[in-house]
Amino acid sequence: MNRTEPEEAEPDATARPPLVREFLLVAGLFLVYKLGRQLATGHTGEAFRDARRVWDLERAVHLPGEGLVQAPLLHRETLAHLANTYYATVHFPATVAFLVWLYLRRPAHYVWARRALAALTAAALVLHLTFPLAPPRMLAATGLVDTARVYGPSVYGPPSSDHLSNQYAAMPSLHFGWALMVAIGLIAATRSRWRLLWLLHPLLTLLVIVGTANHYWLDAITAGALLCLALAVMHPPHRTTTTARHVRKDLVPTDDLVPARALTSAGAVR
């Protein structure tokens, strides 16, 4: 009797959510976050008081000064320009590309990653509303330089006239939080032995946000802690692999087996 072993379907194939719904969910997430940040404007005095507290706390726990990261940028204008460009252009497109790739290639991981990013973003919005924080580039006590203003390019205008972003929402750093999720998501969803190299993305992002004086160390630490909390309750699906093709007996013509059996029998008689 011929026996057929059907190829195993890729588990993620049935997990892909509707495209239109996902587009609306992700777009709505970014829109709510963008509009929600505006609610935190108008707290300039409180933002600077919190900035001094954060700066003093970092010194009290002996965190390295942000100036150690910025110093190399100030001595190399091209490097400073590259860091500012990275800060301005990589954050959002990299996250979108990450979600699109997961949606197309690892749908189950996409749902997991999208939920984690949504949880992190929602927690960040709450902190931005309750703990306004001026970035280190605005705090004179840090002695840091606003590299975007000096070397360009800059994504921010003067705080008093910038109505497109809330510049007093430094903690937590979503630049770092999203970059860390991109790395974790790709490590979880792929099988390459080089996949740990994805951690270079959040590492480079960390150096950029600190070196350009847009964030304190504690902004990144807080983002990482919030992401860990989100992932602790959102277990990732198992990595999927392309199922190896099995040699199926029904593909071998039965007639071709007769001579082989006959030869075997003849050998046994001898």
Side-chain angles (χ1 to χ4, degrees):
M1 181 178 65
N2 294 338
R3 184 178 63 184
T4 301
E5 295 181 10
E7 293 186 0
E8 182 182 347
E10 187 173 333
D12 274 354
T14 59
R16 184 174 292 111
L19 177 60
V20 174
R21 188 193 72 182
E22 289 306 306
F23 176 79
L24 293 176
L25 282 174
V26 174
L29 170 66
F30 290 132
L31 180 61
V32 168
Y33 173 71
K34 192 70 176 179
L35 294 177
R37 282 172 60 120
Q38 303 307 313
L39 298 176
T41 58
H43 300 281
T44 305
E46 186 178 354
F48 278 94
R49 286 192 297 272
D50 290 339
R52 285 187 288 270
R53 294 189 185 103
V54 167
W55 181 257
D56 292 341
L57 177 59
E58 286 191 345
R59 308 291 75 79
V61 298
H62 304 292
L63 286 177
E66 285 81 352
L68 293 176
V69 182
Q70 186 177 85
L73 303 183
L74 301 181
H75 291 88
R76 297 172 179 83
E77 182 174 346
T78 300
L79 190 59
H81 185 81
L82 287 175
N84 295 329
T85 302
Y86 188 95
Y87 180 85
T89 62
V90 173
H91 168 56
F92 186 80
T95 307
V96 172
F98 163 69
L99 289 174
V100 170
W101 186 85
L102 284 185
Y103 181 85
L104 295 176
R105 302 296 298 274
R106 300 289 189 272
H109 283 82
Y110 162 80
V111 174
W112 165 68
R114 187 249 294 152
R115 288 173 178 169
L117 283 171
L120 172 62
T121 304
L125 178 56
V126 172
L127 264 180
H128 293 165
L129 294 174
T130 58
F131 191 76
L133 181 65
R137 59 187 167 83
M138 292 184 181
L139 188 63
T142 67
L144 297 173
V145 175
D146 185 349
T147 60
R149 181 179 59 83
V150 175
Y151 302 104
S154 177
V155 295
Y156 302 119
S160 58
S161 60
D162 186 359
H163 302 296
L164 297 178
S165 59
N166 174 21
Q167 298 190 44
Y168 301 116
M171 181 181 291
S173 169
L174 284 181
H175 269 75
F176 178 74
W178 287 7
L180 184 59
M181 185 60 223
V182 168
I184 292 174
L186 290 174
I187 290 171
T190 58
R191 295 186 61 84
S192 169
R193 59 181 174 178
W194 303 104
R195 63 184 182 275
L196 290 180
L197 290 178
W198 286 113
L199 291 173
L200 292 175
H201 176 45
L203 175 60
L204 181 57
T205 299
L206 176 61
L207 295 177
V208 165
I209 63 175
V210 172
T212 57
N214 281 293
H215 287 282
Y216 306 90
W217 294 115
L218 284 177
D219 298 339
I221 292 172
T222 302
L226 290 174
L227 180 60
C228 287
L229 288 175
L231 294 177
V233 296
M234 298 178 186
H235 301 292
H238 295 294
R239 274 198 300 267
T240 58
T241 57
T242 303
T243 305
R245 294 178 179 272
H246 298 286
V247 178
R248 297 183 295 180
K249 292 182 180 180
D250 61 310
L251 294 180
V252 181
T254 304
D255 294 341
D256 293 342
L257 297 177
V258 175
R261 290 170 182 167
L263 290 173
T264 302
S265 300
V269 172
R270 292 191 191 126

